[in-house]
Amino acid sequence: MARDIRVVIVGAGQLGSRHLQALALTKLPLTVEVMDVSAESLTVAEARWHEMPTNPLVSGVKFVRSIDELTPEIDVAIVATGSMGRLAVTKQLLETKRVKYMILEKFLFPRLSDFDEAQRLIDAAGVKVFVNCGRRRRKFYNRMRELFRGEKKFFMSVSGANWGLGCNAIHMLDLYSFLSDQKIFSSDIEYLDADHIDSKRKGYIEFTGSLRVKSPKGTLLLTSYAPSLFDLTGGGPPNVIAFNSEHFYCVVEEGKRRAKLFNRHDDGWQWDDFEVDSKMQSQVTQNLVEQLIETGSLELPTYEESAALHKVLLTGFLNQLNADGRERVELCPIT
């Protein structure tokens, strides 16, 4: 009889506990181990696990406070810590455990040097690593990718009130790369606000203003309006994604799961409405684990692909932090 698949989650906070909840929906036999140095986080994660219906395919869930206590052989490791501790966790896992597959949360790391160190660890361990930028898996965006394929130019913009530019820009750059098949980018910080703001996550910061990313095919413009610009008690301006080429123009409002596509015809522009599919992490992770075990791959960016995109953004954010001429910093605390 085949043994249970061993899944480990490191980081039992807000996101890690949602990964855990999803595993209750598994269609494959699992054993799950959850590690966090915080007893409080483990307590919350365990409570959220017990909110889910019992699944007899999950033979056990273990909560521990050190990596040393984890099983020595891991089929799938999910690293859902903050960015500041992610390299250390990745290093300890890969140097002390045998890991077959790994899923890393974003923003990957706060230092540019961390990316090469992580690549060295991944190569030495021979592990397949993916980064959880999940819009690539959505049916709507896959349909748009096929529609825009072959277009010579591709432009995209994202705008909204205080939507977490530092934290979430990587999702938008990954989406741009996916839709346009572009790999080479450079960042322009001219219109980023000079002052950063505190993140809702303790010890981290956020950026506001506009960040422009250029590719050979077009540009991506990311705009997050500072909270001081609007009365946000009513929610502020909606977050809107728009992308266009010569023949198509699409406007997406993910929060309402809707999009409008304009199609250029000889007699003018015509439009169609689309539903935008979206699932919470607590509905997705079990599918990622099952696909990894069954196929060895995912429709997520590989570490190499995502690291290249991360470094474009991190270079821009570090340039902004160093623009005031004070002592140069090499760490940008975004997560």
Side-chain angles (χ1 to χ4, degrees), residues 167-218:
C167 173
N168 293 310
I170 185 60
H171 282 301
M172 297 300 110
L173 180 55
D174 185 77
L175 179 61
Y176 181 99
S177 178
F178 176 71
L179 293 173
S180 65
D181 287 321
Q182 294 296 288
K183 308 290 185 186
I184 301 172
F185 298 95
S186 61
S187 57
D188 177 357
I189 63 169
E190 182 178 359
Y191 297 106
L192 274 179
D193 293 341
D195 296 324
H196 59 262
I197 60 176
D198 290 335
S199 169
K200 61 183 179 181
R201 297 172 178 86
K202 186 177 180 180
Y204 293 95
I205 64 171
E206 267 301 344
F207 293 89
T208 56
S210 294
L211 175 69
R212 184 170 62 167
V213 181
K214 304 174 187 176
S215 81
K217 206 169 185 177

Side-chain angles (χ1 to χ4, degrees), residues 265-284:
H265 293 268
D266 291 339
D267 57 349
W269 290 82
Q270 300 177 9
W271 57 268
D272 293 293
D273 291 319
F274 286 84
E275 180 180 351
V276 179
D277 54 309
S278 178
K279 290 184 178 180
M280 296 181 293
Q281 195 64 56
S282 58
Q283 301 170 305
V284 171

Side-chain angles (χ1 to χ4, degrees), residues 110-128:
R111 300 177 182 86
L112 288 170
S113 60
D114 291 346
F115 290 88
D116 290 340
E117 172 65 8
Q119 185 68 69
R120 184 191 67 77
L121 293 165
I122 290 166
D123 291 343
V127 59
K128 284 188 177 182

Side-chain angles (χ1 to χ4, degrees), residues 78-96:
I78 300 169
V79 181
T81 64
S83 66
M84 300 284 275
R86 187 168 291 123
L87 180 62
V89 165
T90 302
K91 178 180 175 68
Q92 189 174 357
L93 276 174
L94 295 184
E95 290 185 344
T96 65

Side-chain angles (χ1 to χ4, degrees), residues 199-251:
S199 169
K200 61 183 179 181
R201 297 172 178 86
K202 186 177 180 180
Y204 293 95
I205 64 171
E206 267 301 344
F207 293 89
T208 56
S210 294
L211 175 69
R212 184 170 62 167
V213 181
K214 304 174 187 176
S215 81
K217 206 169 185 177
T219 58
L220 166 65
L221 182 65
L222 304 169
T223 301
S224 180
Y225 301 110
S228 58
L229 294 178
F230 297 96
D231 176 7
L232 299 184
T233 54
N239 293 345
V240 175
I241 301 170
F243 43 91
N244 68 281
S245 63
E246 182 181 2
H247 300 98
F248 303 101
Y249 177 67
C250 186
V251 181

